[in-house]
Amino acid sequence: MQVKSPRGVQQTDVNGAADELLSEQLKPTIERVRMKLGRGSPNTVGPMLEVWFSSLGERLGGATGEADKTSELPATVHIAMKTLWKSALQEAHSTFEASKADFANTASQQEQQMTTVLAEIEAERGAFTQQASLLNQALDALNIRLAESQDQANKLQMLVNKKDEELTSSRLALQQQVAEGNEERRRHDAQLRAHSAEIQALQAQFVSSERRLMAEIDRDRQQVKKLQAEVEIEKKKQIRHKSEALEVAGNLTKQLHELRMQNTQLSERASGYLARINDMQPQKLKSAAKNKAVRSVKG
């Protein structure tokens, strides 16, 4: 495969420079090739040098068998390429064995680390679940207290309404008694001349009864005022309790949302660790060793 560059450097230029470096018993690198060419950026020369290295094995194979009639490389280049290839194979084998041992050790450590992390995540998830349950219980208790306060306020309002009805009945009864007293007094006035002493006694009785009724009405009125004051106090308590309950409910809802977000993040972390373990396949060891061997030839 030929890699072409829009900036002037071509694959054939890079191949020729790399062959010259080999004939000089130097390993072709990006910087050496650029110095040979006198131009070209690392981003341009790098991929072309990779292509040259990828065809190096095939070219060396031809050199170890019968002479390739189509090859125009000098003998010194063939010798240098064979020596470089042999050295690269030995270094690649050593690198592969070392990488294999390092990878096995790293995989074991990461597996142990993942087991520990998963256990910690499960423990944290259990703690979060328990905390969320406790917060829900606290919210339910607040709702129950709010309902009880509302029920108590309703009962007090019913008591006030009942006292109002009793006061109205007492007032009507007093008015009826006053009307009856007036009527009685008119009858007494008619008999005043003949029964002056009796009239005075009846008037005194009426005044006493009226005072007694007025005193009872006044007591009922004071009791109603007292009940109304208690209702106002209870209403204020209810408003304060409701405000506190709403504030606590908002805080609990916010904490529940944060717990769910933390639980989601922990799940994502666990999934990432599992994905990393699944991606560690033995096949990638060989690819890594092969790439390292090619890099050692280049370096």
Side-chain angles (χ1 to χ4, degrees):
M1 181 180 66
Q2 297 291 322
V3 177
K4 295 184 179 181
S5 170
R7 283 171 276 188
V9 177
Q10 303 297 324
Q11 182 67 54
T12 55
D13 299 330
V14 174
N15 292 346
D19 289 342
E20 290 180 12
L21 289 170
L22 273 179
S23 66
E24 296 171 3
Q25 308 243 340
L26 295 174
K27 292 182 181 180
T29 64
I30 294 175
E31 292 302 322
R32 287 173 179 172
V33 170
R34 290 180 64 215
M35 291 178 63
K36 277 285 184 183
L37 295 175
R39 66 187 188 279
S41 67
N43 291 335
T44 302
V45 175
M48 294 181 180
L49 190 58
E50 291 287 345
V51 173
W52 181 85
F53 272 109
S54 67
S55 63
L56 183 61
E58 181 180 354
R59 295 166 66 190
L60 287 176
T64 57
E66 296 182 357
D68 188 353
K69 296 180 180 180
T70 62
S71 175
E72 299 179 357
L73 294 176
T76 56
V77 174
H78 280 292
I79 293 172
M81 292 172 62
K82 288 167 60 179
T83 302
L84 182 61
W85 183 256
K86 183 177 179 181
S87 175
L89 288 176
Q90 291 175 353
E91 185 176 353
H93 180 73
S94 300
T95 302
F96 174 76
E97 292 298 328
S99 299
K100 183 178 180 181
D102 290 343
F103 180 82
N105 186 33
T106 301
S108 177
Q109 293 177 356
Q110 291 184 350
E111 183 177 359
Q112 293 177 359
Q113 184 179 3
M114 174 54 82
T115 302
T116 303
V117 170
L118 290 176
E120 292 175 354
I121 290 174
E122 289 299 325
E124 291 178 1
R125 181 179 298 173
F128 289 149
T129 302
Q130 184 179 6
Q131 187 175 1
S133 176
L134 293 175
L135 290 174
N136 285 327
Q137 292 177 6
L139 183 60
D140 293 338
L142 286 175
N143 289 331
I144 292 173
R145 288 178 57 190
L146 183 61
E148 290 176 350
S149 297
Q150 184 66 39
D151 183 64
Q152 187 175 3
N154 293 335
K155 290 180 179 179
L156 288 173
Q157 187 62 47
M158 292 175 61
L159 182 60
V160 170
N161 294 337
K162 182 179 179 181
K163 289 297 181 181
D164 285 339
E165 292 177 357
E166 292 177 354
L167 182 60
T168 300
S169 299
S170 298
R171 186 181 297 110
L172 293 175
L174 177 60
Q175 291 175 355
Q176 180 66 28
Q177 290 180 4
V178 170
E180 293 176 355
N182 290 334
E183 181 65 25
E184 185 70 20
R185 186 167 55 188
R186 284 193 295 269
R187 289 197 301 269
H188 291 167
D189 288 342
Q191 299 174 0
L192 182 58
R193 289 183 297 274
H195 307 287
S196 179
E198 184 179 0
I199 290 173
Q200 290 177 355
L202 289 174
Q203 286 178 343
Q205 183 180 0
F206 174 78
V207 170
S208 176
S209 298
E210 186 177 20
R211 288 176 179 175
R212 184 177 64 256
L213 290 174
M214 292 301 295
E216 291 177 358
I217 291 173
D218 185 69
R219 285 196 302 271
D220 290 338
R221 185 181 295 110
Q222 294 298 325
Q223 187 175 4
V224 168
K225 289 182 179 179
K226 182 179 179 181
L227 290 174
Q228 287 177 343
E230 292 177 357
V231 168
E232 290 299 324
I233 293 173
E234 190 61 28
K235 284 183 179 179
K236 291 180 180 179
K237 289 182 180 179
Q238 181 182 355
I239 292 173
R240 186 175 66 255
H241 291 164
K242 185 176 181 180
S243 176
E244 292 175 354
L246 290 175
E247 182 179 357
V248 173
N251 293 333
L252 293 176
T253 303
K254 182 178 179 181
Q255 292 179 13
L256 285 174
H257 178 68
E258 292 176 353
L259 288 173
R260 292 192 182 104
M261 290 182 64
Q262 292 177 5
N263 192 21
T264 301
Q265 292 175 357
L266 289 173
S267 298
E268 290 175 354
R269 286 176 54 195
S271 299
Y273 278 113
L274 292 175
R276 288 179 57 189
I277 289 178
N278 292 332
D279 289 341
M280 295 179 184
Q281 300 297 328
Q283 183 64 28
K284 293 187 176 180
L285 285 174
K286 296 181 180 179
S287 299
K290 184 176 179 181
N291 292 334
K292 191 168 184 180
V294 174
R295 286 197 297 270
S296 68
V297 173
K298 294 188 291 183

